[in-house]
Amino acid sequence: MGLGKLLHDHAEHADVGGTIDHPRAYELAAEIGFLGRRREIFTRLAALSGVRPGDRVLDVGCGTGYLTRILAPIVSPAGRVTGVDASAPMVEHARRRAPGNCSYQVGEGQALDLPDAGFDVVVSSLAVHHIPAAERGAALREMFRVLRPGGRLLIAEFRPPTNHLLAQLVGMVSGPAMRHSPHDLLGDLIPAAGFHVQDEGDLPVMLSYVRALRPST
Ligand SMILES: C[S@@+](CC[C@H](N)C(=O)[O-])C[C@H]1O[C@@H](n2cnc3c(N)ncnc32)[C@H](O)[C@@H]1O
């Protein structure tokens, strides 16, 4: 059984999506997968998201809350970070480690139980490929809905190696997670949801990101 199968109980096919229900195994896999550079890479993601003190931040598909715990001290003391994940065990893991200004809820990115325009920044790392393909557009529209006008979006996804053999090897180990490029995965979903795409780029160890704005008017 590959690591991908262990982590993605319900996700043998990339279009189906599925939760991760083994937080400790996920944490271990992430530390190994990012070659010991996870903290550095996620600190860069936090900086790229443009979060500032006082911001209200939402992390969609927050998993174990790793990124929320990096964001929490940046927005402190007045800001707060909310994490949403479809997996109860992941949310429970995140809650047990939560700084005072973080809260979590079990829920799906495509149907957020959150008010309109309540966030300054929405981030989502490595989670869109877990949302069923047919629901990804709805998830982007939900991110748009909960952002205030002028609010900022950061989506980070896996970027498979360009070397074909290496890409196949990584796909075998990781399962469906790393078989699609972020462009295949996201297509025009971000602008179609109403966002203005600002820029996109790559980060070390197989990540790509897109930054976008909810227009002010
Ligand atoms: C690869 S993990 C990424 C976790 C975290 N964002 C990170 O970067 O470490 C993907 C997460 O998406 C969650 N997930 C799956 N389907 C989801 C959905 N429809 N809505 C929200 N989260 C979902 C999974 O349970 C899992 O915790």
Side-chain angles (χ1 to χ4, degrees):
M1 180 172 74
L3 186 58
K5 174 83 174 97
L6 170 67
L7 291 173
H8 302 74
D9 275 347
H10 319 293
E12 266 307 281
H13 191 275
D15 286 350
V16 175
T19 57
I20 291 180
D21 298 321
H22 305 285
R24 286 196 191 153
Y26 180 75
E27 286 297 281
L28 183 61
E31 291 300 335
I32 295 167
F34 286 111
L35 309 177
R37 298 177 66 186
R38 188 182 185 200
R39 163 104 359 209
E40 171 204 331
I41 291 161
F42 277 71
T43 300
R44 283 176 70 175
L45 277 182
L48 284 164
S49 74
V51 289
R52 295 188 282 251
D55 276 347
R56 302 155 298 168
V57 186
L58 172 67
D59 184 354
V60 176
C62 65
T64 57
Y66 189 82
L67 182 56
T68 63
R69 290 189 294 278
I70 292 176
L71 294 164
I74 303 174
V75 302
S76 184
R80 59 180 172 76
V81 184
T82 304
V84 173
D85 197 282
S87 162
M90 296 297 255
V91 166
E92 188 49 40
H93 184 102
R95 277 189 186 134
R96 282 201 299 270
R97 289 154 183 81
N101 61 342
C102 282
S103 61
Y104 300 93
Q105 56 175 254
V106 178
E108 293 186 326
Q110 61 270 37
L112 292 170
D113 186 14
L114 292 165
D116 293 355
F119 294 92
D120 302 292
V121 179
V122 171
V123 298
S124 184
S125 61
L126 314 180
V128 171
H129 68 267
H130 278 266
I131 297 173
E135 303 290 346
R136 286 176 198 149
L140 266 296
R141 290 193 292 278
E142 281 291 84
M143 294 178 201
F144 185 93
R145 179 183 66 77
V146 302
L147 262 180
R148 67 163 170 80
R152 304 178 295 284
L153 173 74
L154 172 81
I155 305 253
E157 273 299 330
F158 287 120
R159 168 173 54 89
T162 45
N163 178 289
H164 183 65
L165 276 180
L166 195 56
Q168 282 202 318
L169 184 67
V170 167
M172 276 166 56
V173 175
S174 68
M178 294 183 67
R179 292 194 192 130
H180 290 265
S181 80
H183 288 283
D184 295 343
L185 190 71
L186 292 165
D188 66 352
L189 291 182
I190 296 178
F195 288 102
H196 171 65
V197 174
Q198 284 183 295
D199 62 1
E200 42 192 279
D202 293 341
L203 285 175
V205 198
M206 297 184 283
L207 282 193
S208 283
Y209 67 86
V210 182
R211 293 192 290 185
L213 274 181
R214 174 175 169 162
S216 300
T217 51

